[in-house]
Amino acid sequence: QVQLVESGGGLVQPGGSLRLSCAASGIIVSIYTMGWYRQAPGKQRELVASITSGGNANYADSVKGRFTISRDNAKNTMYLQMNSLKPDDTAVYYCNAKNSVRNSWGQGTQVTVSS
């Protein structure tokens, strides 16, 4: 059974930083395309960043230069380092693991950027 458990969300002031973690069980993150998505109230879920099994990272234009996606294969965990946070980054952030036969989601973690 696949489990993706996000952590690290919270309340942060504009300009601050957070690091999200996605701990996986039931899959090996290094052989999946792993991604972070977010959904703000009243908006559609959108891709924030992804990393392929080959290590290629892709970012939404809105977070380029501020967010960094990474993966620790030994811990079977994916991360999202978020710097220079803005109020527009406020959303529930979801972890995703995808391959040709599976598309799995975590439960999400709330990130709120507010003064």
Side-chain angles (χ1 to χ4, degrees), residues 25-46:
S25 60
I27 61 167
I28 301 172
V29 298
S30 62
I31 64 172
Y32 278 71
T33 292
M34 301 294 296
W36 288 100
Y37 290 72
R38 67 186 180 189
Q39 188 166 17
K43 293 188 177 181
Q44 288 189 329
R45 192 173 295 190
E46 62 175 358

Side-chain angles (χ1 to χ4, degrees), residues 86-108:
K86 305 175 182 180
D88 283 350
D89 296 318
T90 295
V92 178
Y93 284 69
Y94 296 91
C95 173
N96 175 264
K98 185 185 308 182
N99 66 5
S100 60
V101 296
R102 175 172 282 137
N103 188 22
S104 299
W105 295 91
Q107 292 299 306

